[in-house]
């Protein structure tokens, strides 16, 4: 009976190790997808900020801030 319990326990340990090892590559791919999403968002934000209307609005805000009296 001891042999059956030990064999079952060993099988569970081997299975648990396989599950843990199988997830090792997920972290790298998640970081890669996060970096790709961040770069895409940065490009989109850059395009919006450098567009004509937004650029003129930002310049108007800076001009008003610099010409304000203290």
């Amino acid at each position: 009976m001891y042999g059956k319990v030990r064999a079952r326990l060993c099988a569970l340990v081997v299975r648990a190790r396989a599950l843990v090892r199988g997830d090792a590559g997920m972290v790298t791919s998640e970081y890669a997808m996060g970096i790709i999403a961040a770069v895409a968002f940065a490009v989109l934000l850059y395009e919006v900020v450098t567009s004509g209307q937004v650029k003129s609005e930002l310049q108007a805000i800076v001009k008003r801030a610099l010409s304000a009296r203290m």
Side-chain angles (χ1 to χ4, degrees), residues 43-61:
V43 168
L44 178 67
L45 186 62
Y46 177 77
E47 290 296 322
V48 168
V49 170
T50 57
S51 68
Q53 184 178 0
V54 174
K55 193 173 185 178
S56 65
E57 290 293 326
L58 288 173
Q59 286 176 347
I61 290 170

Side-chain angles (χ1 to χ4, degrees), residues 3-65:
K4 289 182 181 180
V5 172
R6 184 173 179 183
R8 180 73 177 148
L9 184 60
C10 286
L12 289 173
V13 169
V14 169
R15 186 174 179 203
R17 285 182 183 166
L19 289 173
V20 170
R21 287 186 193 143
D23 195 27
M26 291 293 291
V27 175
T28 304
S29 65
E30 288 171 356
Y31 281 127
M33 293 304 292
I35 290 171
I36 290 170
V39 169
F41 182 71
V43 168
L44 178 67
L45 186 62
Y46 177 77
E47 290 296 322
V48 168
V49 170
T50 57
S51 68
Q53 184 178 0
V54 174
K55 193 173 185 178
S56 65
E57 290 293 326
L58 288 173
Q59 286 176 347
I61 290 170
V62 170
K63 284 181 184 178
R64 277 186 275 153

